[in-house]
Amino acid sequence: MKFKLLLSVFLCAGFFVQAQQGPKKNQSKETKTTTEVTVKEEPKPTANERTIKVESTVVTSHAVNINGKSVPYKATTGTLPVWDEDGKPIAGLFYTYYERSDVANRDKRPLVISFNGGPGSASVWMHIAYTGPVVLNIDDEGYPVQPYGYKENPYSILDVADIVYVDPVNTGYSRATSKDIPKEKFFGVKADIKYLAEWINTFVTRNNRWASPKFLIGESYGTTRVSGLALELQNNQWMYLNGVVLVSPTELGIERGGPVNAALRLPYFAATAWYHKVLPTDLQSKDLTAMLPEVETFTINELIPAIAQGGMLSAEKKKSIAAKMARYSGLSEKVIMDYNLNVPTDFFWKELMRDKGFTVGRLDSRYRGIDKMSAGEGPDYNAELTSWLHSFTPAINMYIRNELNYKTDLKYNMFGSVYPWDKTGDQTGDNLRQAMAQNPFLHLLVQSGYYDGACDYFNAKYSMWQLDAAGKLQDRMTWEGYRSGHMMYLRKDDLKTANNHIREFIQKALPKAGESAKF
């Protein structure tokens, strides 16, 4: 049950390089790797104990071809401590830090700090499939192929920014120093933000990056994390950011209960139904982005008010609304009436292709699954996540050990136990708003996949509207949509486009020479 709950939040509620003696099977010929002397011989993790030191460092040198140009870089893998109030280390966080090595002045070089979600997920997903110098060996739509592995990422943002991927406690190789350390130090909305802000301070100080423009990127629950961190870093670490990127964002603590919550799913239903070609001919013949505005307008102007009326809604009007919902969702009018216009997403994933013998994926509804029986209210499993774990788990273990030369027998936790997780006090959307209001340099980019049913694209738009209800921050806020799911970057076309959007966002968020931070 805990694992199912973790997956329900993970990826909603949010990845290498070659030895000089010649290219390996997993590596393109252009990429070269040399292993330097380990910066700290001790304390480094040993191969015969399943523990990790709170401090360790291994450095390797590489090059990657990005947009047709060779980019040399240094990769640092290691751990840095999390400190308690008395200055005692209570955990070691594992990180991977990429620095372009032909940069003369790093003070002007942007630094991107990257987190994934869960809570309880490692930073593996964006690391080896999105922004980093290597990507998974998968097909163009994101499905696994064998042999498993990785290859050069020609679209990485490493040409314009250095990147550090951080694994919170109990994810990746990160661990508390003792089982006696209270879980409350790490596992909760507020605790997570607090200790990670302290850790970022340590990392930035150790690596002399205080002068650099700084950006946070988070995926899924990682968007909750970085939204809270934007204000925490600003108010309690006195560290001001230039940008925050939210990939497949959660609700960010923004209220949307009752009729609003029920109605906002419909545009996602419509996108999924369009993909599986079950909409009426007039809608199906339109392009996705030409069809969706009609559904969005109906959702805001008609569906929310109708559901809000509940039993006061006339039978005739209810039937009319249900007919439109059926037209847009691919579901039957009867099913929609049976649910009183409030169709759960679990049921949608089961029902949409029930007559064809398939379910559709939660995090990416392009993926199809096969259940034990056609009957039921929800799918047996998450078809997309099972597929992704095929590709990611072998690749990250191979890459860290073989290419980055970090050796340990500690298990790399794709998902780690972080329960019980304290959800109280989630005001991270408003935290981000406050940070933007206080810092004129701070910009926001939101990226969503149209086929993501866990952190759907229309809820992401709604969050942006409510985050800036006064409409005073819109010139610093951007939303982008992609024809894939939660991990939009697994689709090759979107990998290129989405990285270009981040690249453009970083460059736009950098102030011009001499520009002051003022309104």
Side-chain angles (χ1 to χ4, degrees):
M1 180 65 186
K2 287 182 178 179
F3 183 67
K4 184 176 180 181
L5 178 61
L6 184 151
L7 296 186
S8 75
V9 183
F10 158 65
L11 301 166
C12 178
F15 328 126
F16 288 85
V17 238
Q18 171 68 48
Q20 280 190 327
Q21 56 262 44
K24 298 180 182 178
K25 291 181 180 179
N26 296 316
Q27 201 66 31
S28 62
K29 293 182 180 180
E30 292 86 353
T31 305
K32 295 181 179 180
T33 300
T34 59
T35 301
E36 298 177 352
V37 177
T38 300
V39 173
K40 293 184 180 178
E41 193 63 32
E42 288 293 340
K44 72 176 182 179
T46 59
N48 61 357
E49 58 181 14
R50 288 193 107 178
T51 59
I52 199 163
K53 309 298 182 184
V54 295
E55 293 194 53
S56 59
T57 309
V58 177
V59 180
T60 52
S61 294
H62 313 261
V64 59
N65 192 305
I66 300 174
N67 291 325
K69 296 182 179 179
S70 180
V71 176
Y73 65 96
K74 179 175 71 172
T76 302
T77 49
T79 51
L80 278 178
V82 174
W83 314 100
D84 68 8
E85 295 81 358
D86 299 321
K88 177 183 177 182
I90 56 174
L93 292 199
F94 182 77
Y95 67 94
T96 306
Y97 175 36
Y98 298 104
E99 301 173 85
R100 182 165 179 164
S101 52
D102 61 351
V103 174
N105 183 3
R106 206 160 298 276
D107 288 354
K108 297 181 180 180
R109 173 83 170 160
L111 172 66
V112 175
I113 304 167
S114 181
F115 294 96
N116 272 95
S121 167
S123 66
V124 55
W125 315 97
M126 290 196 293
H127 183 176
I128 60 170
Y130 191 8
T131 52
V134 303
V135 288
L136 297 175
N137 183 32
I138 51 181
D139 75 9
D140 287 353
E141 292 299 314
Y143 291 89
V145 297
Q146 289 186 329
Y148 301 119
Y150 44 85
K151 56 191 176 183
E152 190 173 85
N153 182 3
Y155 312 117
S156 169
I157 61 170
L158 189 55
D159 58 333
V160 298
D162 296 338
I163 318 166
V164 56
Y165 299 91
V166 187
D167 292 336
V169 173
N170 274 10
T171 74
Y173 293 136
S174 300
R175 301 290 189 273
T177 56
S178 167
K179 294 181 179 179
D180 297 329
I181 304 295
K183 292 182 178 181
E184 294 80 8
K185 292 282 187 182
F186 312 113
F187 302 151
V189 174
K190 291 184 176 180
D192 180 74
I193 290 167
K194 184 177 185 299
Y195 90 80
L196 288 172
E198 292 281 353
W199 187 91
I200 290 171
N201 187 310
T202 300
F203 176 86
V204 168
T205 301
R206 292 272 189 103
N207 290 278
N208 195 26
R209 299 306 299 265
W210 274 98
S212 301
K214 299 171 191 68
F215 295 78
L216 298 180
I217 181 171
E219 179 181 25
S220 195
Y221 185 83
T223 62
T224 300
R225 178 175 285 139
V226 300
S227 295
L229 278 169
L231 188 64
E232 179 72 13
L233 286 170
Q234 191 166 297
N235 284 359
N236 294 314
Q237 304 299 327
W238 311 286
M239 186 182 295
Y240 287 74
L241 304 172
N242 287 76
V244 172
V245 182
L246 305 182
V247 180
S248 304
T250 63
E251 295 177 353
L252 306 178
I254 297 171
E255 179 59 41
R256 67 193 75 217
V260 172
N261 186 51
L264 291 180
R265 310 175 191 131
L266 184 62
Y268 156 71
F269 288 175
T272 299
W274 182 90
Y275 179 82
H276 290 289
K277 297 180 171 57
V278 296
L279 291 180
T281 303
D282 64 317
L283 293 177
Q284 199 66 59
S285 64
K286 294 181 180 180
D287 184 65
L288 175 66
T289 55
M291 178 272 293
L292 286 175
E294 178 181 332
V295 187
E296 295 176 6
T297 299
F298 166 75
T299 298
I300 295 297
N301 294 339
E302 298 185 57
L303 185 55
I304 292 176
I307 297 176
Q309 291 178 58
M312 293 294 293
L313 188 68
S314 70
E316 182 182 1
K317 182 63 175 177
K318 186 173 184 179
K319 183 174 174 58
S320 172
I321 292 292
K324 285 190 176 182
M325 290 181 69
R327 166 176 161 78
Y328 294 139
S329 67
L331 304 178
S332 73
E333 184 178 330
K334 180 182 185 306
V335 160
I336 293 169
M337 289 288 284
D338 288 345
Y339 274 102
N340 291 324
L341 312 183
N342 184 0
V343 179
T345 48
D346 277 3
F347 180 79
F348 175 79
W349 300 322
K350 181 79 172 185
E351 177 70 12
L352 183 68
M353 300 190 72
R354 194 190 299 263
D355 61 342
K356 297 179 176 60
F358 295 108
T359 62
V360 299
R362 170 179 174 268
L363 296 162
D364 192 329
S365 51
R366 297 176 302 152
Y367 289 71
R368 298 185 297 184
I370 301 175
D371 280 0
K372 181 178 181 179
M373 59 181 69
S374 294
E377 296 295 304
D380 291 350
Y381 65 98
N382 293 330
E384 74 300 326
L385 188 56
T386 298
S387 173
W388 296 341
L389 288 169
H390 259 283
S391 309
F392 279 94
T393 311
I396 191 64
N397 281 280
M398 295 157 60
Y399 175 65
I400 289 175
R401 176 173 287 270
N402 299 337
E403 303 295 344
L404 301 185
N405 203 35
Y406 196 89
K407 304 293 197 298
T408 177
D409 281 339
L410 193 67
K411 182 170 69 172
Y412 187 91
N413 284 341
M414 304 291 284
F415 305 104
S417 175
V418 296
Y419 291 94
W421 187 268
D422 184 358
K423 299 179 182 179
T424 59
D426 182 358
Q427 297 180 324
T428 51
D430 194 60
N431 293 158
L432 179 56
R433 181 201 61 79
Q434 287 186 57
M436 293 184 71
Q438 296 172 21
N439 178 7
F441 282 157
L442 183 52
H443 290 67
L444 173 65
L445 169 64
V446 178
Q447 298 183 307
S448 298
Y450 289 112
Y451 307 126
D452 180 2
C455 302
D456 70 82
Y457 88 92
F458 199 57
N459 262 284
K461 286 186 174 182
Y462 181 85
S463 290
M464 291 180 67
W465 300 335
Q466 301 306 312
L467 187 150
D468 178 32
K472 296 179 179 179
L473 307 175
Q474 293 299 306
D475 61 333
R476 288 185 280 144
M477 300 170 65
T478 305
W479 180 89
E480 299 287 355
Y482 308 91
R483 295 171 186 253
S484 42
H486 194 80
M487 297 188 194
M488 70 285 297
Y489 43 81
L490 295 183
R491 180 171 175 263
K492 186 177 180 180
D493 286 349
D494 290 328
L495 172 68
K496 179 179 181 180
T497 303
N499 268 309
N500 279 337
H501 285 153
I502 296 177
R503 184 178 286 104
E504 293 163 3
F505 172 73
I506 289 173
Q507 292 167 339
K508 177 183 176 182
L510 296 177
K512 298 179 177 62
E515 182 180 352
S516 301
K518 62 181 179 181
F519 293 114

